Amino acid sequence: MVAAARGLLGALLIRDDGRSVRTGRIVEVEAYGGREDLASHARSRRTARNATMFSPSGQAYVYGVYGMHTCLNVVCGPAGRPAAVLVRAVEPLVGVAAMREARIARGLATRRLDRAAPAAAADRIAHLPVARLASGPGNVGAAFSVEREDDGLDVLDPASLLRLEPRPPAESPPAVAIGPRIGVGFAGPEWASARWRFWIPGSPALSGRRGA
DNA sequence: TCAAGGATTACCT
DNA sequence: GGTAATCCTTGAA
């Protein structure tokens, strides 16, 4: 599972909705395990929400948090053994304009931009540096239009509208930095400190807290 | 049936 | 650095 997480670094995330193609390079991920991992959604029994984590490798596990964000994971355990890798940050390569549109659309959908000054807020996204469009799990979900309905998609299927393209074997593996996962303090010190976050050091697209 | 809280983000002081 | 926004899943009553 940890190996699968590291293997995803440098892979391409591709969203092809028929009108436009969005592509980015995965630069930050976190690994989540099964019952023993108290930070994982699979820490308790199998439920409707985490069912996809028990699926065979290669499926998308999508869930919502805080009522407004969707997070994209890739299931990486054998069937029946829950494990997944959370995609925390992506470096945009192709379809930057579509990513901006998606960010703005998602902002409006969650009514974040409605309140104060929607035009100004949309304008801020329009001028956001490219590297920040998909930096952070919620932003990856927004920039690539990941919906709850995408839960269970086979992202290894080349025909899938949301898919992964592995790093070419010929390409040398990127440098990898390792550190504890973010936002899992509720799991207790042991699991919150587990060094299951992996990122490509130096990437401008890393999520907020970049320290090791 | 219901209360609690979250694998986050961005704005506020 | 603190905290609001906001929906839905979970676990307990």
Side-chain angles (χ1 to χ4, degrees):
Chain A
M1 171 184 64
V2 163
R6 299 180 61 136
L8 276 185
L9 287 177
L12 297 184
L13 177 63
I14 302 170
R15 163 66 89 181
D16 179 354
D17 62 9
R19 292 179 304 142
S20 63
V21 177
R22 280 165 274 176
T23 300
R25 177 172 173 251
I26 297 175
V27 295
E28 184 180 348
V29 297
E30 281 176 359
Y32 286 86
R35 304 204 70 134
E36 75 288 352
D37 180 3
L38 297 184
S40 170
H41 286 165
R43 61 184 173 275
S44 55
R45 69 183 192 285
R46 174 172 174 151
T47 64
R49 179 215 212 181
N50 67 22
T52 306
M53 280 190 78
F54 293 77
S55 300
S57 292
Q59 290 196 21
Y61 168 48
V62 179
Y63 64 89
V65 282
Y66 301 104
M68 59 190 78
H69 302 295
T70 58
C71 297
L72 172 66
N73 300 250
V74 179
V75 177
C76 66
R81 206 48 104 61
V85 176
L86 169 68
V87 179
R88 284 196 61 90
V90 171
E91 204 173 281
L93 296 176
V94 176
V96 170
M99 291 183 202
R100 286 193 201 278
E101 283 177 28
R103 284 284 307 269
I104 292 170
R106 181 66 61 90
L108 291 171
T110 57
R111 281 197 274 281
R112 277 197 80 112
L113 304 188
D114 278 343
R115 288 196 310 277
D123 193 61
R124 268 195 296 279
I125 294 179
H127 291 94
L128 212 54
V130 171
R132 300 223 11 223
L133 285 175
S135 64
N139 289 333
V140 170
F144 284 81
S145 304
V146 176
E147 310 286 349
R148 299 171 161 290
E149 294 76 47
D150 294 324
D151 187 59
L153 271 186
D154 181 358
V155 294
L156 299 184
D157 180 356
S160 186
L161 298 186
L162 181 67
R163 65 181 188 270
L164 288 178
E165 193 164 293
R167 173 164 34 81
E171 194 175 303
S172 57
V176 176
I178 304 174
R181 294 174 291 185
I182 291 175
V184 295
F186 62 86
E190 181 187 351
W191 289 102
S193 63
R195 293 160 60 84
W196 281 5
R197 180 165 61 106
F198 309 90
W199 67 95
I200 298 178
S203 168
L206 295 173
S207 68
R209 286 143 286 196
R210 308 181 178 198

